[in-house]
Amino acid sequence: MTTITPFATVSGNTVRSSFAILSPGDKRNHYAKIDVAEVADLMLKGLKDSNALQGTKGTVIYDAETTRWQIKATVGAPVDIMAHRGVGRLHALTLSLQGADNGTACITGFGGAERLRCMNATKSQANLPGMNWRKVHKGDPGVIRNLIAGMPARFGALVADLRSVWARASAEHYLDADGGRLSPKEAITRLVGNDLIPTGGKSTEDAIAYYVSAYAAEDHPESAAGIIMAIQRAAHECTWSTKWSTVEIEESASNLLYQPVYTLAEVEV
């Protein structure tokens, strides 16, 4: 039977007596004991030290028949503008550790980013560089402990970066050269006219109409973030010329999120 335990309660002796690695030993060819409660403690401490614990959701899943377990921490994004409900956006960062308490399995670490890709809420997941590893319970257990402890620090830095760029985009607006705020339609027109977002094989006028329609459907504020998320919605909701257009438009929206300047040159359409 599989049991799910709230992440915050997995510490101390809560589950320690229920989990154990068999064939423990500290010699080179023997299995080292690292149970799931110790893994959870290391992850919790790392998330606290990296200021990534607040807003993090997590679970511990254990199957008594197979002794397999998974600890997963998830941070929803964008954290600072939760009222937004767009599709296509980067939806969450995840940190996962899994293994089995049977003395023969590996511990596997995984860091990933999830994206809500389409209107029926299917998700895609991409690996985060430098956060994925697999280690057998052999030899010095300190090696595994160091791998586990190192993951939350990198995860915390990514969470801080994600919060920062979304918070900035939600507070900023696209501007004219004189500093005047552009309407969403004018901002989209200039983004297309300056080749910052693609037309997807459509005419310039049709592409602008698609993006403006997606903005109206999103019902977002007139912030840069609202427009970026509308572009991501249009990638999935509109009919483009090729199947590759969706990816191209999504990538252009992601690039806009990291643009440091929101001033757009005037164009003729």
Side-chain angles (χ1 to χ4, degrees):
M1 178 178 179
T2 299
T3 59
I4 302 177
T5 306
F7 190 51
T9 66
V10 182
S11 61
N13 294 320
T14 305
V15 294
R16 193 178 300 280
S17 61
S18 300
F19 301 81
I21 298 297
L22 302 179
S23 304
D26 55 3
K27 295 182 181 180
R28 181 175 180 181
N29 294 318
H30 289 187
Y31 283 92
K33 179 180 178 180
I34 301 178
D35 64 26
V36 67
E38 182 180 1
V39 174
D41 288 343
L42 287 170
M43 183 184 286
L44 279 168
K45 183 180 184 303
L47 291 172
K48 288 178 181 176
D49 291 345
S50 61
N51 296 317
L53 189 59
Q54 183 175 1
T56 299
K57 297 179 180 179
T59 57
V60 172
I61 301 175
Y62 180 71
D63 188 321
E65 294 183 1
T66 64
T67 75
R68 294 207 62 82
W69 55 265
Q70 181 187 38
I71 304 173
K72 184 176 181 181
T74 303
V75 176
V79 176
D80 295 300
I81 46 175
M82 291 301 290
H84 287 189
R85 293 291 183 267
V87 300
R89 65 186 171 90
L90 185 62
H91 189 68
L93 294 174
T94 62
L95 182 63
S96 174
L97 290 160
Q98 61 185 25
D101 286 345
N102 57 15
T104 61
C106 298
I107 289 182
T108 302
F110 173 80
E114 294 179 349
R115 184 185 292 278
L116 186 65
R117 293 194 61 86
C118 57
M119 296 303 292
N120 63 2
T122 59
K123 290 182 180 180
S124 67
Q125 183 162 278
N127 295 352
L128 295 175
M131 294 184 65
N132 302 293
W133 52 269
R134 182 179 176 87
K135 187 71 176 176
V136 178
H137 288 275
K138 279 188 176 182
D140 182 4
V143 174
I144 296 178
R145 292 188 182 102
N146 289 337
L147 286 169
I148 295 169
M151 293 182 70
R154 292 190 290 273
F155 184 70
L158 291 169
V159 169
D161 181 48
L162 192 64
R163 286 173 173 168
S164 176
V165 295
W166 275 106
R168 185 171 66 90
S170 65
E172 298 284 349
H173 294 78
Y174 285 109
L175 306 173
D176 199 352
D178 61 4
R181 185 181 297 181
L182 298 173
S183 68
K185 182 177 180 179
E186 182 59 28
I188 289 169
T189 299
R190 295 190 184 194
L191 288 169
V192 174
N194 286 294
D195 296 325
L196 294 173
I197 51 176
T199 61
K202 298 294 185 179
S203 68
T204 298
E205 292 79 5
D206 286 345
I208 291 171
Y210 280 171
Y211 292 128
V212 171
S213 176
Y215 175 83
E218 283 288 278
D219 192 26
H220 280 322
E222 296 184 2
S223 64
I227 292 171
I228 289 169
M229 291 177 70
I231 293 167
Q232 293 178 333
R233 181 188 185 103
H236 300 277
E237 192 174 66
C238 301
T239 303
W240 305 98
S241 295
T242 71
K243 63 180 181 180
W244 306 113
S245 295
T246 293
V247 175
E248 184 184 11
I249 293 168
E250 269 197 341
E251 289 179 351
S252 71
S254 298
N255 291 335
L256 289 177
L257 181 61
Y258 285 89
Q259 289 290 328
V261 178
Y262 292 103
T263 300
L264 297 174
E266 188 172 0
V267 295
E268 292 185 6
V269 177

